[in-house]
Amino acid sequence: MTDTDTDLDGWIAGQAEIAATAMLRAISATDLVKHRPGFGQTVVPLPGSVLASPVPASYDPDPDYFFHWYRDSAIVIDALRVARIEDLVGDVAETRLREFVEFTLSLDRMDRDGRPAHARFRQGTTPDFLRFVRDEAEIGRWTADWVRGETRVNPDATPDFTRWDRPQADGVALRAIALLRWPNGADEGLRTGLRAVIEADLAFTLAHGREPSFDIWEEELGHHYYTTLVQAEALGLGAAWFAELDRPVEARACAVGADELASRLGEFWDGRLGFIRSRRGVSGGSERKALDAATLLAVIHAGRASGPHSILDPRVQAGVTALESLFETAYAINRDRPADRGPALGRYAGDAYYSGGAYYFSTLAAAEFYYRLSAALRDGADLPAAAENGRFRERLPAGRDRPASAAAALRQGDAIMATVRAYTPASGAMSEQFDQGTGEQTSARHLTWSYAAFITAAAARSAATGRRRA
């Protein structure tokens, strides 16, 4: 091991502790208060809510992320499990899990007297903010199933009455995946709550898996690779879970649903472009979004160990190469980077949100991809040699045997992690983006997803180096 490797080891260990502390700060943040004067709101988070960012901003200039997003919260709760395995947190993890389950169940009991509730909300909204309020007819459809199609709610378990792109179906599937991964040693009360949430989330996924929804970035309505993959994975895990509970009818339904979604995943491959398209069936959608980091995030979050749509899939590997090539050209911080650093990744070409720059969670997903690949090769998997991943194997470069290929993948993960380190301040604070030209942090400060992504990437590195297996 070189001095450089040891130095990176030390930084990753220290940053993982910072990330775990920061992530915990956003879960059950009952000491925080968010005022939205234009909407007449004062929001105090309830136990179990997960803030996308605990910073009470109001687009001044940071965005208002003081919400419980379904997707973000599922990613965080999964990272909490990993943090516990990695000894970054202790028994507080189970406490926060219990609160998360109770908060989720409380959403089903939310005030469903939609029209009067909406009217009360409108009464507190100033005239210049009324244009941001949802239509009364939309709120009037409030049901438990409708709630699961939401993108986000307020962390005090009240509806988000602002206009936002809905419906979304990925967060519910991700939540089922995250909860199905937690150990079964919890007490009976927690197990009962877990079963209730998982069953409802799987039922929702079965019922709505064929329907279009908004993408992970909440921008375009259609069918999306990310959503389809996490839905298929949730139903596959659900089938095995129901089988263990000796519930064959539900197990069969989930298995059939998973197979149907899995068959649709192949439709996203574009042989002409040479990568998996992020979306299809999007009316008026932008072709520049066909290549999207959401496809990489889908593979990381679904977490398949092998086979199609895993880290060992040649088509997935082709997409990683295409993303790296895109952002190596597009971003000045990549064009000018030192030779021992990997590329920083954003979302898609021409992204105009805030700096349109690199995202911590996209870049960390790339590092995690290589770490997981290294661990798989180290454990005996073969690096496939196919036409689709030819450029990937050239860029790695793949060694002549498994140990050499595993070492190459580990080096590439470390090179990307070195880039994350270069744009993370000494305090360890991680926002949503870092600018594509200057590397300065932009968009939401203390993004909880960024910290969660660091924890899972660091854990994947531990597995790749043989130190720990999360």
Side-chain angles (χ1 to χ4, degrees):
M1 180 179 292
T2 66
D3 291 341
T4 301
D5 292 335
T6 303
D7 186 43
L8 185 64
D9 282 346
W11 178 77
I12 291 174
Q15 182 62 27
E17 292 181 358
I18 292 171
T21 300
M23 187 176 74
L24 280 173
R25 193 177 300 129
I27 309 172
S28 300
T30 56
D31 58 323
L32 300 181
V33 179
K34 166 64 178 173
H35 299 288
R36 294 192 179 102
F39 295 114
Q41 280 186 318
T42 296
V43 179
V44 179
L46 290 175
S49 62
V50 179
L51 297 171
S53 167
V55 178
S58 300
Y59 294 93
D60 53 358
D62 300 335
D64 180 0
Y65 281 10
F66 206 86
F67 289 94
H68 175 98
W69 257 273
Y70 293 172
R71 177 193 319 105
D72 295 45
S73 64
I75 292 166
V76 168
I77 289 300
D78 194 48
L80 182 63
R81 173 187 61 83
V82 174
R84 188 176 192 182
I85 294 171
E86 295 291 296
D87 294 331
L88 295 170
V89 299
D91 292 341
V92 69
E94 186 166 309
T95 300
R96 294 294 175 261
L97 172 65
R98 183 191 309 278
E99 293 169 348
F100 175 78
V101 169
E102 291 172 353
F103 178 83
T104 302
L105 291 172
S106 77
L107 299 180
D108 291 341
R109 302 187 296 270
M110 203 184 294
D111 178 12
R112 299 182 198 160
D113 191 9
R115 283 182 290 257
H118 187 250
R120 290 194 299 272
F121 182 75
R122 293 182 72 89
Q123 289 170 5
T125 304
T126 59
D128 55 328
F129 273 75
L130 282 173
R131 68 185 187 276
F132 301 119
V133 178
R134 299 162 75 175
D135 293 336
E136 204 163 330
E138 180 186 359
I139 296 297
R141 297 195 296 270
W142 196 263
T143 64
D145 195 55
W146 189 84
V147 169
R148 278 184 164 73
E150 287 285 274
T151 303
R152 63 188 191 182
V153 294
N154 283 314
D156 61 357
T158 59
D160 171 23
F161 284 116
T162 59
R163 295 184 185 276
W164 205 261
D165 285 334
R166 306 167 171 90
Q168 285 199 280
D170 58 314
V172 168
L174 278 175
R175 187 166 62 202
I177 290 171
L179 296 182
L180 283 165
R181 287 173 177 166
W182 273 80
N184 294 320
D187 63 65
E188 183 57 33
L190 179 53
R191 285 199 300 271
T192 299
L194 283 167
R195 283 196 298 268
V197 175
I198 292 168
E199 285 190 39
D201 287 350
L202 292 175
F204 178 90
T205 301
L206 269 174
H208 299 283
R210 303 174 187 85
E211 300 171 3
S213 66
F214 277 90
D215 64 312
I216 183 176
W217 311 129
E218 300 152 19
E219 294 174 343
E220 293 182 347
L221 182 67
H223 295 281
H224 305 279
Y225 179 80
Y226 182 95
T227 304
T228 305
L229 179 53
V230 297
Q231 286 177 328
E233 183 64 15
L235 292 179
L237 293 174
W241 181 68
F242 277 124
E244 290 178 1
L245 296 176
D246 195 24
R247 296 173 60 177
V249 174
E250 293 89 343
R252 175 62 179 166
C254 283
V256 170
D259 288 345
E260 180 182 346
L261 288 168
S263 69
R264 292 168 55 187
L265 284 167
E267 299 172 8
F268 290 93
W269 169 253
D270 191 318
R272 178 182 60 86
L273 294 176
F275 55 78
I276 295 170
R277 298 177 65 92
S278 66
R279 61 204 68 209
R280 61 180 184 82
V282 176
S283 177
S286 173
E287 188 64 17
R288 64 187 168 83
K289 294 183 181 179
L291 179 59
D292 188 325
T295 57
L296 170 60
L297 289 164
V299 172
I300 294 301
H301 294 159
R304 296 183 173 184
S306 61
H309 313 291
S310 77
I311 54 171
L312 292 169
D313 185 339
R315 294 181 173 185
V316 169
Q317 294 169 357
V320 172
T321 296
L323 286 167
E324 290 177 334
S325 298
L326 166 66
F327 293 112
E328 282 173 340
T329 301
Y331 289 173
I333 55 174
N334 284 333
R335 294 193 299 271
D336 300 334
R337 74 181 191 273
D340 60 348
R341 289 187 199 165
L345 270 58
R347 298 194 300 178
Y348 49 76
D351 187 2
Y353 184 67
Y354 279 80
S355 72
Y359 280 67
Y360 280 104
F361 56 67
S362 296
T363 307
L364 286 162
E368 184 169 347
F369 172 88
Y370 283 107
Y371 290 145
R372 289 192 187 184
L373 178 61
S374 177
L377 296 174
R378 182 176 174 271
D379 289 345
D382 291 318
L383 183 67
E388 292 92 337
N389 70 343
R391 286 186 61 217
F392 176 84
R393 288 180 286 112
E394 289 174 3
R395 283 169 58 97
L396 191 54
R400 296 180 179 178
D401 53 29
R402 288 194 193 99
S405 296
L410 178 60
R411 285 195 299 273
Q412 183 60 15
D414 279 352
I416 296 171
M417 193 64 91
T419 293
V420 174
R421 180 184 186 180
Y423 297 109
T424 301
S427 67
M430 303 181 86
S431 64
E432 185 173 40
Q433 297 181 39
F434 48 103
D435 188 271
Q436 60 177 286
T438 67
E440 294 295 321
Q441 294 198 12
T442 62
S443 191
R445 287 177 291 150
H446 293 292
L447 189 79
T448 315
W449 184 352
S450 295
Y451 295 120
F454 191 91
I455 288 167
T456 58
R461 186 177 188 269
S462 294
T465 56
R467 296 185 183 122
R468 190 184 297 272
R469 190 155 301 281

